Amino acid sequence: MDSVISSTILFLIWKRLRMCRKKICYKQVDRRQLIILITLWKLLKKNKKHSRRTWVRPIFTARQRFLQGSSDNLVKEMTFNDPEMFYNYCRMYPETFELLLSIVGPHIEKQYCIRDPISSRTRLLICLRYLASGDSMTSISYSFRVAVCTVSKIISETCEELWNTLQKLVFPDVKEENWLKIANNFAIKWNFPHCIGAIDGKHVQIQSPPHSGSTFYNYKGHHSINLLAVCDADYCFTLVDIGAEGRQSDGGIFSNSIFGQRFENKDLNLPEPKSIEISGPAIPFVLVADEAFALTNYMMRPYPRSKHLNRQKKVFNYRLSRARRVIESAFGILAAKWRIYRRAIIASVSTAEKIIQATVCLHNFIILNENKLSNHYRRYTHVTTEDQIVNGALQENTRPFVLRNKDNSAYQIRNYFATYFENAGALPWQWEKVLQNDF
């Protein structure tokens, strides 16, 4: 249609010029008409769209995808013949994948329109392989025989649906009974009573967003967004805040986060303070954190590092560090399983947030359904003669804990924990750790 209009305008221009040549002096009206016609012709030529050579490249057709694509060949072969390699490929066993597909599949299935849509199984495989391998979208495109633009859209949509469908299943409800269960596990596995979680932040490296300046530039020397998380004693994330700019500190992000404000407003249904010992005072349930966070009634951080730390404070710092490393291990497991974290995420900030949300949900989903993670901690069952010698070398006189000033309650709570860890709650191997500063 545009070519017909362009040809008509050219004919009118030629006819107008021919009439003007015959006249010795042509009118101003003829001159205006000629200018208008030439302007219209130039606009049509400028806006003319080039017709596409092909609708779909031959290597990305449905036939080639069925014959040579990974989803219909390699993945099926691993599913039936080598489940271990399937685990390495998708970071989960075939049974777990089928369970995940039954939950997420109906939300990512596309309706038939002119052409057969890409199946939900292939869409989920593309997303999982991208997260697990850390490869570029172009590499995933060649592997699954799907165009790059389609791969990009599939990853964004699938990650969003993973978050929307799994978050209610893999994150515990904010209930008192759930907090008590987490605290009980911390006391059994990591010997820190009244602990409802370990908190820390992780910088997720991203490509520099356009026109962002130094907003996402962190102290490590690259651009990032922050993943602030609280985890339980089994490396499962319980509370997360995703998307803060990399230039912000962990403590500032926690203060501005939704769950940080709910902690401050006492709006998370935490259990009432209870006594750890039979005759001890009532102690609130707390998070364990590093020096980046402020000391509060619900947040325990170590004593400031100094040469003048006494034995009691060193013992507390060791015990807190032992419980707090759970969140460090959780981040390590997350980055080791999903290799997308091993390089800068080349995507927009919104897509990067969706990727982090999806991997956090998948991390919990795999732990809850497969329970394949081993405990990375060591237990001692007896006190050796060497431990007794170390205990005697560090022996000091301590005073019993008494709550006095409510204004300094956070410091008093920390002091009580320090006193408890040194006396009634002492561990046989903590004295050697403290003597050697091995923590």
Side-chain angles (χ1 to χ4, degrees):
M1 186 66 181
D2 292 340
S3 59
V4 175
I5 297 174
S6 179
S7 301
T8 305
I9 293 176
L10 278 176
F11 174 75
L12 293 174
I13 292 172
W14 172 79
K15 189 174 181 180
R16 186 66 60 182
L17 287 173
R18 188 175 180 183
M19 292 176 61
C20 291
R21 288 176 183 175
K22 292 181 180 180
K23 298 180 181 179
I24 299 175
C25 180
Y26 53 90
K27 298 180 181 179
Q28 188 72 19
V29 177
D30 297 334
R31 194 180 288 180
R32 290 177 182 175
Q33 291 177 354
L34 185 60
I35 293 173
I36 292 172
L37 289 172
I38 293 174
T39 304
L40 286 174
W41 179 77
K42 287 184 176 180
L43 288 173
L44 283 172
K45 187 176 180 181
K46 184 178 180 181
N47 297 330
K48 184 179 179 181
K49 296 182 179 179
H50 297 284
S51 58
R52 295 178 60 176
R53 290 177 294 178
T54 57
W55 179 258
V56 178
R57 289 184 178 275
I59 63 172
F60 296 145
T61 58
R63 173 182 171 80
Q64 292 301 112
R65 189 181 309 124
F66 176 76
L67 293 176
Q68 298 180 339
S70 295
S71 59
D72 292 307
N73 296 276
L74 178 62
V75 175
K76 286 186 177 180
E77 183 179 356
M78 290 188 297
T79 302
F80 295 109
N81 300 329
D82 200 339
E84 292 183 1
M85 293 306 297
F86 183 93
Y87 183 90
N88 180 267
Y89 192 83
C90 294
R91 298 296 190 265
M92 61 183 68
Y93 288 104
E95 296 80 8
T96 310
F97 175 81
E98 295 297 332
L99 176 61
L100 179 63
L101 182 62
S102 65
I103 297 172
V104 183
H107 300 280
I108 60 177
E109 187 72 37
K110 300 296 180 180
Q111 295 181 351
Y112 175 84
C113 182
I114 301 176
R115 294 176 297 165
D116 291 331
I118 300 175
S119 65
S120 58
R121 177 180 294 272
T122 302
R123 288 174 176 271
L124 184 57
L125 285 170
I126 288 173
C127 182
L128 291 178
R129 186 55 189 165
Y130 173 76
L131 299 176
S133 65
D135 290 343
S136 63
M137 294 185 183
T138 304
S139 177
I140 301 296
S141 169
Y142 292 140
S143 176
F144 285 86
R145 298 283 182 151
V146 179
V148 179
C149 57
T150 308
V151 168
S152 176
K153 190 174 181 180
I154 287 174
I155 291 172
S156 177
E157 292 178 352
T158 306
C159 286
E160 185 176 2
E161 290 299 332
L162 283 171
W163 169 258
N164 293 334
T165 55
L166 293 181
Q167 61 172 324
K168 294 181 180 180
L169 300 176
V170 300
F171 290 106
D173 295 331
V174 183
K175 296 180 180 179
E176 182 178 351
E177 56 185 20
N178 290 333
W179 292 124
L180 289 173
K181 183 179 179 180
I182 293 173
N184 184 53
N185 288 336
F186 263 102
I188 294 174
K189 295 183 177 181
W190 304 105
N191 307 109
F192 200 108
H194 282 219
C195 178
I196 57 173
I199 184 171
D200 199 8
K202 175 180 175 59
H203 288 278
V204 180
Q205 187 176 0
I206 62 172
Q207 188 182 34
S208 175
H211 313 295
S212 62
S214 61
T215 303
F216 294 91
Y217 196 76
N218 61 27
Y219 70 95
K220 296 184 177 181
H222 56 73
H223 297 267
S224 66
I225 56 179
N226 199 291
L227 165 60
L228 183 69
V230 178
C231 78
D232 61 14
D234 298 318
Y235 311 102
C236 280
F237 297 112
T238 55
L239 299 170
V240 292
D241 182 83
I242 301 169
E245 297 88 350
R247 63 181 176 85
Q248 298 186 38
S249 65
D250 292 343
I253 295 172
F254 175 76
S255 300
N256 297 325
S257 65
I258 296 176
F259 70 84
Q261 295 174 1
R262 293 185 67 181
F263 265 108
E264 190 67 28
N265 298 330
K266 300 180 180 180
D267 189 29
L268 282 174
N269 299 323
L270 296 181
E272 293 295 327
K274 298 180 181 179
S275 59
I276 300 177
E277 300 175 284
I278 297 177
S279 60
I283 299 299
F285 289 79
V286 297
L287 299 171
V288 290
D290 57 11
E291 293 88 345
F293 297 87
L295 179 67
T296 61
N297 290 350
Y298 54 82
M299 182 89 67
M300 289 291 105
R301 54 170 285 172
Y303 287 100
R305 299 179 184 179
S306 172
K307 296 181 180 179
H308 305 290
L309 284 179
N310 58 20
R311 185 193 67 180
Q312 187 181 85
K313 294 181 178 179
K314 285 185 177 181
V315 168
F316 174 82
N317 283 0
Y318 164 66
R319 296 288 292 273
L320 183 137
S321 176
R322 185 171 183 271
R324 197 193 64 82
R325 68 183 178 185
V326 179
I327 185 64
E328 301 287 356
S329 299
F331 286 145
I333 295 169
L334 181 71
K337 186 177 290 289
W338 308 109
R339 294 301 179 98
I340 189 68
Y341 289 102
R342 294 300 182 93
R343 62 174 180 84
I345 299 177
I346 304 176
S348 62
V349 175
S350 60
T351 302
E353 291 178 3
K354 294 176 184 178
I355 289 172
I356 298 172
Q357 290 173 343
T359 52
V360 167
C361 287
L362 290 170
H363 172 89
N364 284 9
F365 181 80
I366 292 172
I367 292 177
L368 295 174
N369 288 279
E370 295 186 353
N371 197 19
K372 296 294 182 180
L373 297 177
S374 61
N375 294 325
H376 299 281
Y377 60 91
R378 186 179 175 186
R379 292 189 180 184
Y380 295 81
T381 57
H382 64 280
V383 181
T384 63
T385 306
E386 183 180 358
D387 293 330
Q388 295 173 351
I389 294 173
V390 172
N391 189 2
L394 295 173
Q395 193 67 37
E396 294 179 358
N397 293 326
T398 58
R399 298 178 179 178
F401 172 77
V402 179
L403 282 172
R404 292 188 178 89
N405 189 354
K406 293 184 179 180
D407 295 335
N408 297 326
S409 57
Y411 294 93
Q412 296 182 53
I413 292 169
R414 183 168 64 178
N415 291 336
Y416 173 77
F417 274 114
T419 304
Y420 172 78
F421 291 149
E422 189 184 27
N423 297 290
L427 298 176
W429 65 88
Q430 69 184 22
W431 313 113
E432 182 180 358
K433 294 286 185 179
V434 170
L435 182 65
Q436 298 177 0
N437 289 324
D438 186 17
F439 59 92

